[in-house]
Amino acid sequence: MAFDVQAPLQSAARSLSELDQRVRDDLACLCYPPANWVVPTAGDDHVHDVVVIGGGMCGLVASFALIGAGIPNIRIFDRSPAGFEGPWLTYARMETLRSPKQLVGPAYGMASLTFRAWYVAQFGGDAWAALDKIPRPMWMEYLRWYRRVLDLPVENEVEVTSIRPEGALLRLALSGTGARETSVLTRKVVMATGRDGLGHPSIPDFVSGLPQKFWAHSSHHIDFAALRGKRVVVIGVGASAVDNAAEALEAGAAEVRHLIRRKEMPRINKLMGIGSFGFTAAFPHLDDAKRWKIMNYSLRTQTPAPRGSTLRVSRHPNAYFHFDAAVEKTELEGDEVVVTTSQGKTVRADFLILGTGFGVDPLARKELDGYADKILLWRDRFTPPEDERNADLGKFPYLADDFTFLEREPGQAPWLSRIHSFNSGATASLGKVSGDIPGISEGAAWLAREIAAKFYIENFDRYWQRLLDYDTPELRGDEWSASPLPDDERTAARRQA
């Protein structure tokens, strides 16, 4: 039977308050939250079972999954002010999300938690049918509601500055105006730190000699109003590059020129074409060569900018796309940036925007200072064929099946098995289940199951003792009476004789 994904919801909530109640009813039917089954850790200081770093989409659904798995002794820290977690209202500048509106995202199997249910409750079924793509600010409104209706205890303006081993535990140093203490102890850490959660913005060497006032990465704060009447060069043509070019044009830039090293515009989102439950389930089970082949191919073909974002730029007559024009060097002449391209030609600009994306590099994470070099990377584990070499992909961590880091040299940093990389850094090892909307619920369920299994295995003796000690009877002893077995015919005859 086929279902129309655009069809009105016959039982849809008619207001947000009605949807709130529906969510609460659904959670009650699912017995959420279940009792805490985890054996507590003895000690003078309180020990959390899990600390989740990041209160954006990944952190929220991961925390919901953990609590739903009977692991409520958690803390959730986010360095941003409340309601501004993640990129949606900071450096993300697209008008709408790329993902189709009907994807369930962080709903975790609950229809009442979907964006669709939230949207229809406020605007109705006809508005849903007419909606094309989800406006970016609206997605943040939905995540704020998601956090509120699930009562997830995110602590904002708290930054984790370091993660250090302390015996069998991890001690996290905290800073920020929202921090209630300077450090906390935990058994496990989940780094739900998003797109740049295991690396940093990719800053090419050619801007190293330029003063910061002449350039910015697309993830930086940019004063677009100050670009009015200015000549802007945007490096790259991916989604973030295109969105930033559009912002500059709409702010009144005199001209915006894309400098693109590729010979033509990427047009096909390859991974979207093979996305399925089977791909998500199978990817971590593929051998290294197959996983590398898929990810390398995806990175090399590049995900194109969305059609709407590209049209948002090209509709301006003062927007230009220059292909086969890689940047060779930049120089400053007075207040003018001179860019030399691979064609031997120069472009003059007042400001550069680097749409060069993010790099995955555990060595760049200050939380892991002192031992990041002990993390096993893909380049340590796998040597690809010559035609599939990719230095950037080689920097991805080679993760265990539970999202944890592995040691480059066994025995050098055993505590790495307590840190779960639930962010974009997990992509090469486990697939796209810990950063993007389509697979985030599957990833969170997987993460919670693995953490629960580790807790049980680590304290098996305690759980075995619980089994031995359990003595609550289901029967009271008054439900039956003992009866003697009846005599068979031979026994009766012998007695009579």
Side-chain angles (χ1 to χ4, degrees):
M1 179 184 295
F3 294 92
D4 182 0
V5 297
Q6 293 280 42
L9 298 175
Q10 299 302 316
S11 60
R14 292 176 174 80
S15 68
L16 205 54
S17 60
E18 187 177 321
L19 181 61
D20 288 357
Q21 186 58 51
R22 178 179 159 194
V23 171
R24 288 191 286 269
D25 291 344
D26 288 347
L27 291 173
C29 288
L30 295 171
C31 299
Y32 176 93
N36 181 0
W37 57 268
V38 182
V39 170
T41 302
D44 295 333
D45 295 330
H46 178 73
V47 177
H48 307 291
D49 290 325
V50 184
V51 166
V52 178
I53 304 175
M57 180 181 70
C58 293
L60 292 177
V61 68
S63 301
F64 179 42
L66 288 167
I67 295 171
I71 308 173
N73 179 25
I74 68 174
R75 297 277 290 275
I76 313 165
F77 299 131
D78 194 283
R79 64 188 179 187
S80 301
F84 290 87
E85 303 84 1
W88 311 108
L89 296 181
T90 52
Y91 63 83
R93 295 176 177 120
M94 62 281 203
E95 290 184 318
T96 65
L97 272 58
R98 176 195 298 271
S99 300
K101 65 180 182 181
Q102 66 268 18
L103 294 184
V104 297
Y108 207 67
M110 291 179 56
S112 56
L113 274 181
T114 59
F115 175 84
R116 178 177 181 175
W118 176 84
Y119 186 91
V120 170
Q122 299 172 92
F123 307 108
D126 291 341
W128 169 259
L131 180 68
D132 178 26
K133 295 289 182 64
I134 300 172
R136 169 181 49 81
M138 184 174 284
W139 183 254
M140 188 68 236
E141 291 180 40
Y142 161 69
L143 291 178
R144 289 172 174 173
W145 169 79
Y146 181 100
R147 168 182 170 174
R148 176 184 63 77
V149 77
L150 294 178
D151 195 25
L152 296 172
V154 180
E155 299 174 51
N156 287 94
E157 299 183 71
V158 180
E159 184 169 7
V160 176
T161 56
S162 71
I163 304 171
R164 298 288 181 189
E166 187 168 310
L169 306 173
L170 296 169
R171 184 170 290 279
L172 279 57
L174 309 179
S175 67
T177 57
R180 304 200 303 260
E181 57 264 270
T182 57
S183 70
V184 295
L185 281 171
T186 185
R187 294 174 66 184
K188 313 285 185 190
V189 168
V190 172
M191 295 182 70
T193 40
R195 181 72 61 186
D196 62 336
L198 204 62
H200 54 79
S202 293
I203 308 296
D205 292 337
F206 59 70
V207 297
S208 60
L210 289 181
Q212 180 71 60
K213 70 176 183 176
F214 291 101
W215 65 272
H217 188 269
S218 60
S219 64
H220 295 163
H221 170 74
I222 299 175
D223 183 1
F224 285 98
L227 299 181
R228 183 175 182 81
K230 303 291 187 181
R231 297 164 299 169
V232 178
V233 163
V234 176
I235 312 300
V237 75
S240 63
V242 169
D243 292 328
N244 278 267
E247 289 281 326
L249 288 161
E250 291 164 3
E255 67 177 31
V256 173
R257 297 183 182 274
H258 280 278
L259 296 184
I260 308 156
R261 60 182 173 83
R262 296 176 180 271
K263 290 180 169 50
E264 60 183 26
M265 182 78 84
R267 298 185 183 184
I268 302 171
N269 186 349
K270 288 289 189 174
L271 287 186
M272 179 177 286
I274 63 169
S276 68
F277 185 84
F279 175 71
T280 299
F283 188 87
H285 298 286
L286 298 176
D287 62 39
D288 290 353
K290 290 185 177 68
R291 287 186 287 176
W292 181 279
K293 183 186 291 289
I294 290 171
M295 293 310 303
N296 179 57
Y297 181 69
S298 174
L299 291 173
R300 286 189 173 179
T301 54
Q302 188 179 355
T303 301
R307 173 176 167 80
S309 295
T310 308
L311 290 172
R312 185 182 167 201
V313 173
S314 61
R315 67 176 177 232
H316 294 269
N318 54 336
Y320 306 90
F321 296 85
H322 302 293
F323 295 95
D324 195 18
V327 176
E328 297 285 340
K329 66 176 181 176
T330 63
E331 299 173 291
L332 195 61
E333 292 185 3
D335 285 336
E336 192 174 52
V337 180
V338 181
V339 182
T340 302
T341 72
S342 55
Q343 298 180 13
K345 298 180 179 180
T346 59
V347 177
R348 294 177 178 271
D350 301 303
F351 194 76
L352 303 184
I353 298 177
L354 308 177
T356 46
F358 294 91
V360 171
D361 183 5
L363 291 172
R365 300 305 302 187
K366 63 182 181 180
E367 306 100 310
L368 308 177
D369 275 351
Y371 57 85
D373 60 337
K374 294 178 172 56
I375 294 172
L376 182 71
L377 305 181
W378 267 84
R379 68 188 182 199
D380 304 318
R381 185 67 176 258
F382 179 71
T383 301
E386 189 64 35
D387 62 345
E388 292 184 13
R389 301 271 180 169
N390 189 320
D392 292 333
L393 186 55
K395 292 180 181 178
F396 276 70
Y398 191 99
L399 299 180
D401 289 346
D402 60 356
F403 295 89
T404 56
F405 296 120
L406 293 170
E407 300 171 87
R408 180 174 293 168
E409 296 182 24
Q412 295 297 304
W415 60 87
L416 290 173
S417 65
R418 302 174 211 148
I419 304 176
H420 301 257
S421 180
F422 192 66
N423 50 49
S424 61
T427 306
S429 296
L430 303 175
K432 304 192 78 166
V433 293
S434 55
D436 293 335
I437 291 171
I440 192 64
S441 285
E442 288 86 346
W446 178 0
L447 173 74
R449 183 176 63 250
E450 293 294 335
I451 289 177
K454 271 198 167 181
F455 280 149
Y456 199 94
I457 292 168
E458 289 169 2
N459 283 294
F460 175 78
D461 290 344
R462 302 275 297 275
Y463 295 114
W464 170 251
Q465 192 60 48
R466 282 185 176 181
L467 174 62
L468 298 179
D469 293 343
Y470 185 75
D471 60 357
T472 301
E474 292 192 25
L475 297 177
R476 299 177 182 177
D478 59 357
E479 296 88 353
W480 73 94
S481 59
S483 304
L485 287 171
D487 292 337
D488 60 25
E489 294 181 2
R490 291 182 180 180
T491 301
R494 284 199 302 268
R495 286 181 176 175
Q496 291 175 359

